[in-house]
Every structure is written in C-alpha cells, then in structure tokens.
Amino acid sequence: MLAKHGAHRRADKHAGSLLSATQYCALALLLSLVLSSSAFFLPSSALGALIAIDLLLVIHGLYLKNKITALLKVGAAQLALTLPLYYLLHGEAQLLDGVIVVLRVFLAMLPGWWLSSTQSPERLGEVLSWGLPAKWAFVIAASIGLLPYMLQETKEIYAIQCLRGANITPKALRNPKNWPELVYCVLLPVLIQLLKLSKQMAKAAKLRHFGKVNKPTHWPSSREDK
C-alpha cells in the first residue's frame, strides 16, 4: 500500500512539473511571436528597447550553451548583400535605411533562435495543438526543431564546396557573377537535404500511425527527464 501511494505521489509530482514546462513553453512562444512582430511594426525610435530585450534572450541562450554563430553569419551576409543594393538604387544618403532594414530582419529572427534553442519540439507541438489541428502543430514544431540541424548542414555543405574550389568565399561573393554559383553549390543541396529529411519524418510519423487520433500523446523530452 505504501509503495502504491508513493508511486501515485511521484506520478502527481511528474505531472505537475510537466504542466509547468508546458506553460513555460506557451509563454516563450507568445513572447517570441510578440518580439518578432515588433521588429517590423515598431518605429525606428523604439528599436533600442527591442534590442535590449532581445539581448536578454541572447544572454539566456548563451547561458544554456547554445551557439549563435550561424545566426550572426546570416545577419552579416544580409548586411553585405543589402547595403550594396541600397547604394546602387538609392545612393549613399539612404545607406542608414538599409542598415535599419537588415536590423529589423535580424531582430525578427532572434526570438526564433531563442525559442528553438530553449524549448523542445515535444512541448512546442503540445502548445501549438491547443489552437491548431494536431498535424499542423506537428509540422510547425518539427520545422522549428529542424532549424539548428539545417544551419549545421548548411555550414558543412558550404565548407565542402569551398574545399572543392567553388567561388563562394566571402571575397568571391563580392562579385554578383558568383551569386548563381552559391545557389547551385549550397542552396540547392540544402533544399534537397531538407526535402529528403522531410520525407523521412513523414514516413516515420506514418509508421507510428500519427493522425489516427485527434489528441496524440505528448511525451516528455529527455531534457525534462534529467
């Protein structure tokens, strides 16, 4: 009887912790959506406050030992591509506007990086299933969970193509004639890899009879078990 009572107490304690993790994930998702939307809708004079809030997210993500190098490289690439275009189209007078545009896009991506770095796909799927069909929640949660993996895959493909002699180094990409080579050597292989991975995930979900019930079970992730 005592063993049975103790098992019930452990189960209740685990359910309570799981509920807290789910609620925390819901708040994190809501915060990410608000901050990402604010990056586009706030006036330029209010971007300083948004930068301060996003900086706290970056500190939290780095504290949890998550890497932000790939996101910084994406922001630098956007800046390197956008500023020359602004200079050619509008002249030197509107270069600051180009910087602000790139800054807004980067600030819109930062909350997504923080969300995918701190929340497990299992909990995201559970939270999204509150207002979406289970299949849509699964697709969105899986896509968010794949972001770190696809960034790593892109980095590896880029490094391999550079070793093969492709003209896609930062110095070579200063010439717009080399931009199509970046598409053929990096973007297309990444797209093919993403399609292959999506097909594998769809097959795995089908073999597990996903979608047969309206409310699938959301198992706790390994991070919550520790």
Side-chain angles (χ1 to χ4, degrees):
M1 179 67 70
L2 291 176
K4 185 176 180 180
H5 181 67
H8 281 300
R9 289 179 60 186
R10 288 194 296 270
D12 293 340
K13 182 178 180 180
H14 177 71
S17 62
L18 182 61
L19 180 62
S20 300
T22 304
Q23 291 175 341
Y24 174 72
C25 181
L27 293 175
L29 179 60
L30 180 61
L31 177 63
S32 298
L33 291 174
V34 171
L35 292 178
S36 295
S37 302
S38 299
F40 294 108
F41 295 115
L42 286 178
S44 299
S45 58
L47 289 180
L50 184 60
I51 292 174
I53 296 174
D54 284 344
L55 184 60
L56 295 177
L57 299 185
V58 172
I59 294 174
H60 180 234
L62 295 178
Y63 174 75
L64 297 177
K65 298 182 180 180
N66 295 304
K67 296 181 179 179
I68 196 175
T69 307
L71 186 61
L72 293 176
K73 289 181 178 180
V74 171
Q78 289 178 338
L79 188 64
L81 292 175
T82 303
L83 289 186
L85 292 176
Y86 261 78
Y87 181 79
L88 292 174
L89 296 176
H90 306 290
E92 186 178 356
Q94 296 192 15
L95 282 180
L96 181 59
D97 293 337
V99 174
I100 293 177
V101 169
V102 175
L103 178 62
R104 287 182 182 274
V105 174
F106 185 76
L107 291 177
M109 293 190 299
L110 261 179
W113 166 83
W114 174 76
L115 182 66
S116 63
S117 300
T118 59
Q119 302 301 316
S120 65
E122 294 91 339
R123 297 282 71 78
L124 287 172
E126 182 178 4
V127 172
L128 290 172
S129 65
W130 293 349
L132 294 174
K135 291 183 179 181
W136 283 102
F138 171 76
V139 171
I140 296 175
S143 300
I144 295 176
L146 282 176
L147 285 177
Y149 172 78
M150 292 310 302
L151 287 175
Q152 182 63 29
E153 284 290 306
T154 304
K155 182 180 179 180
E156 293 179 359
I157 291 174
Y158 176 82
I160 292 173
Q161 296 291 11
C162 287
L163 291 175
R164 295 179 60 187
N167 293 322
I168 55 175
T169 60
K171 183 177 180 180
L173 290 177
R174 295 175 184 176
N175 187 352
K177 292 182 179 180
N178 294 327
W179 293 357
E181 193 165 354
L182 178 66
V183 175
Y184 299 142
C185 294
V186 179
L187 297 184
L188 287 181
V190 169
L191 179 60
I192 293 173
Q193 182 70 10
L194 180 59
L195 292 174
K196 180 180 178 180
L197 184 59
S198 300
K199 185 177 180 180
Q200 292 174 348
M201 292 180 62
K203 185 177 181 179
K206 184 178 180 181
L207 292 175
R208 287 166 174 78
H209 303 286
F210 181 79
K212 296 295 184 180
V213 294
N214 294 328
K215 294 183 178 181
T217 302
H218 297 276
W219 297 99
S221 65
S222 57
R223 275 187 291 181
E224 295 165 0
D225 292 336
K226 295 180 181 180

